[in-house]
Amino acid sequence: MVSGRICPESGSPAIECAGGCGSERCAYLRMPDRPIVENMKEKRGGGGYSKAKTPRDLKTARAFDWMGAARMRMLGVMPETEPDAAARYLFDAAYALFVGRALQGIIKSNSKGMSKHLAVLLKKEWSEASDLELEMVMAKLKERIPDAGEVDAYANRFKAAYWLKSASSILKRKAGEK
Amino acid sequence: MVTFYDNYKNFPKTDCGYCGCSSCVTALRKFCLGEFDLAECVYFKAGKYRKENFSPSAVVNNWWSLKPGITYVLPCAVDPKRTALEVYLSYPENLKYGYFDMITADKIIYLYFPGLGFCPSLGIANLVQGGRDVYGYANGQVLCRLSLDKEDALWQLSRLTRWLWGAVN
């Protein structure tokens, strides 16, 4: 009846592996009640989906409520929402969640290098080179083990890189769907 | 007994991705199932956190489950004029990590939507709207009470499960 299942790649909730999962239709497969929804024709009120655009520049992004954006996108998935549209909402929610986490990492680690990467991501000008650069940053960070005193800054720098890369994978996926 | 949530409360909760898990919840859940070594976490490598303080035997998913299906209860025990519905959304073999991750659900939707609340420690979501009462449990069980009729109950079920979709494991 229901296609809910554990993602074999990550074991994570759908919103966290939407962009990184290797399986093409993973998010569709884990839509909890798709067979029920497909049989429901009658509309009973709208959802709370926010059409507000996500920021395209760093300054606005810092003041933006990314978690709130993720919430509104998730709450927008109502019974009458078509499964394909619901999947898009999930990816939008995941994008907001990932950028929000990256921003937390940037703010807490005060990393200027990562800020530049975020600016590129927000402008949707992300490229393979940016991915490679981030991979190099993460590999470099993994080369050494931090002290207990600096582990917070270290982990937050890694967090920024990791979630920027995850957010970029969502952008790529969305671009591929167009 | 140490619960999974007790473990989680003392965890770094940075969600940095260093260990390869998408969040600290996932890392800890895998640790409790013997699939992850906490030494992979940067905080444990740096010596800020100690493995001994976390219980590997914490229960991740102690909810029993029947096979998927919908059961209608007519009339609802709370109000005989209304309908209740109970549903199991997944097979027990798919519930290694539980069906809904209520910690993630709580983070995404916490106190944002009137009538929708979470208890991540117990793994329960509750939606109260228009006199209806809907409970979602971490094991994929959903209970709709005080629905107007079968179709209404189905709609409530669908709404809650779809809102929690992002938190499906």
Side-chain angles (χ1 to χ4, degrees):
Chain A
M1 180 194 90
V2 167
S3 48
R5 62 181 66 180
I6 294 164
C7 171
E9 283 84 7
S10 69
S12 305
I15 195 167
E16 283 182 345
C17 68
C21 180
S23 166
E24 269 300 302
R25 293 178 58 80
C26 176
Y28 287 108
L29 288 171
R30 297 195 292 150
M31 165 81 79
D33 59 348
R34 187 171 179 151
I36 298 174
V37 171
E38 283 172 354
N39 289 325
M40 296 181 74
K41 306 288 182 200
E42 194 186 342
K43 288 194 175 187
R44 294 202 187 189
Y49 180 62
S50 164
K51 286 185 178 150
K53 290 217 160 72
T54 47
R56 290 291 190 102
D57 65 278
L58 210 53
K59 199 179 165 190
T60 327
R62 281 177 181 264
F64 189 71
D65 178 11
W66 289 97
M67 190 56 98
R71 279 184 199 120
M72 289 312 288
R73 276 147 182 78
M74 286 312 300
L75 289 173
V77 183
M78 297 292 278
E80 69 269 23
T81 314
E82 290 296 321
D84 288 352
R88 280 202 304 278
Y89 289 0
L90 178 74
F91 289 138
D92 285 351
Y95 174 77
L97 180 75
F98 295 173
V99 174
R101 282 185 178 175
L103 199 59
Q104 281 172 3
I106 289 167
I107 291 167
K108 285 184 183 168
S109 64
N110 202 14
S111 168
K112 283 182 185 162
M114 289 297 150
S115 294
K116 281 181 198 162
H117 282 297
L118 178 61
V120 174
L121 181 84
L122 292 172
K123 283 182 200 158
K124 312 266 190 312
E125 290 169 359
W126 198 259
S127 64
E128 291 296 324
S130 315
D131 265 346
L132 281 174
E133 241 175 273
L134 276 187
E135 272 170 29
M136 277 169 64
V137 169
M138 288 195 279
K140 217 172 174 183
L141 281 170
K142 280 207 165 188
E143 276 173 13
R144 70 179 190 93
I145 298 165
D147 300 327
E150 57 172 0
V151 68
D152 278 321
Y154 177 96
N156 278 303
R157 193 166 154 71
F158 196 94
K159 179 179 180 174
Y162 182 87
W163 290 110
L164 277 174
K165 200 164 176 307
S166 301
S168 80
S169 73
I170 297 226
L171 285 186
K172 269 189 246 167
R173 193 165 179 155
K174 282 174 78 178
E177 279 175 1
K178 278 175 189 170
Chain B
M1 187 185 77
V2 178
T3 66
F4 176 74
Y5 199 66
D6 290 334
N7 266 347
Y8 178 69
K9 278 190 285 190
N10 300 319
F11 216 57
K13 296 195 276 283
T14 310
D15 300 332
C16 67
Y18 180 92
C19 62
C21 294
S22 59
S23 63
C24 289
V25 178
T26 299
L28 193 55
R29 199 166 45 199
K30 287 185 169 182
F31 164 70
C32 292
L33 291 166
E35 296 171 359
F36 178 75
D37 186 357
L38 289 180
E40 301 272 315
C41 171
V42 68
Y43 283 90
F44 289 81
K45 274 187 183 169
K48 195 170 180 182
Y49 286 78
R50 294 180 68 81
K51 211 172 162 178
E52 297 77 48
N53 296 336
F54 295 89
S55 168
S57 57
V59 178
V60 174
N61 175 34
N62 61 345
W63 299 85
W64 53 273
S65 175
L66 301 172
K67 68 176 186 178
I70 296 178
T71 314
Y72 290 101
V73 182
L74 296 165
C76 176
V78 182
D79 180 350
K81 289 177 189 160
R82 295 199 173 198
T83 306
L85 172 149
E86 186 183 47
V87 59
Y88 288 92
L89 294 166
S90 189
Y91 289 95
E93 57 267 29
N94 288 339
L95 293 172
K96 192 165 84 173
Y97 301 117
Y99 188 83
F100 292 118
D101 180 348
M102 289 303 180
I103 296 175
T104 299
D106 184 44
K107 279 184 188 169
I108 304 170
I109 312 176
Y110 174 68
L111 283 182
Y112 198 77
F113 194 77
L116 184 60
F118 296 94
C119 179
S121 60
L122 295 176
I124 298 174
N126 177 223
L127 172 68
V128 182
Q129 240 183 18
R132 305 171 189 89
D133 209 0
V134 189
Y135 290 93
Y137 299 89
N139 68 338
Q141 182 192 5
V142 181
L143 182 65
C144 308
R145 299 192 307 182
L146 296 166
S147 299
L148 301 177
D149 49 35
K150 279 188 179 182
E151 198 190 349
D152 184 56
L154 204 61
W155 197 86
Q156 298 300 328
L157 158 76
S158 188
R159 182 162 63 170
L160 186 78
T161 52
R162 288 190 142 217
W163 277 349
L164 299 183
W165 176 32
V168 171
N169 281 314

